[in-house]
Amino acid sequence: MGNHLVANKSVVKGIFIISLGLGMLTNNVYANQDPTAPLGWQAPAKKHTATRARLPQLQSILCDEQSTCTAILNNTVVSVGGRVSGYTLSAIQDESVTIRRGNKQWRLDMFAENIKID
């Protein structure tokens, strides 16, 4: 009788695990459709909206004795030709930098409130 009880516990455990797994699969099916929607109704496809990358923030311009300058954009030290947030640093002046992305370029001034598009 003891062996019969152990075998029944194993069967019960197996059935429980299988039913738990099937229950998870069933919940996934219900989560993918709205039970209150009319029969045959399909949700409209989501439109893909392009996200625009924000312009980097110019925080500092540093030049050494040989007039080799670097800029700090978005807390990253960048030299001419370097990239930050998808933009390429194309020039460094005394109080501004020029960045490019594709065929557009922007001049970021050190202390300006406005960004100038060239």
Side-chain angles (χ1 to χ4, degrees):
M1 181 158 169
N3 290 337
H4 183 66
L5 186 60
V6 172
N8 283 340
K9 284 184 180 181
S10 297
V11 170
V12 170
K13 278 185 182 179
I15 291 173
F16 176 73
I17 291 173
I18 290 171
S19 63
L20 184 64
L22 289 174
M24 288 181 178
L25 290 175
T26 306
N27 285 339
N28 189 23
V29 171
Y30 285 122
N32 289 331
Q33 65 188 39
D34 181 3
T36 63
L39 289 176
W41 181 83
Q42 294 290 324
K46 292 184 180 182
K47 294 180 182 177
H48 178 68
T49 56
T51 57
R52 290 176 44 192
R54 294 182 58 151
L55 287 173
Q57 181 182 12
L58 175 61
Q59 295 162 315
S60 182
I61 296 173
L62 307 167
C63 298
D64 61 16
E65 291 127 14
Q66 293 82 19
S67 297
T68 304
C69 296
T70 56
I72 299 179
L73 297 163
N74 291 353
N75 296 323
T76 304
V77 177
V78 184
S79 300
V80 172
R83 293 178 58 89
V84 63
S85 300
Y87 294 89
T88 302
L89 180 62
S90 56
I92 301 176
Q93 294 82 28
D94 289 339
E95 293 186 17
S96 66
V97 298
T98 304
I99 57 173
R100 292 181 180 269
R101 184 177 189 149
N103 59 357
K104 293 184 180 180
Q105 68 179 13
W106 295 264
R107 188 178 86 206
L108 307 176
D109 290 324
M110 227 9 246
F111 300 106
E113 290 183 20
N114 296 326
I115 298 170
K116 296 162 184 68
I117 299 175
D118 295 334

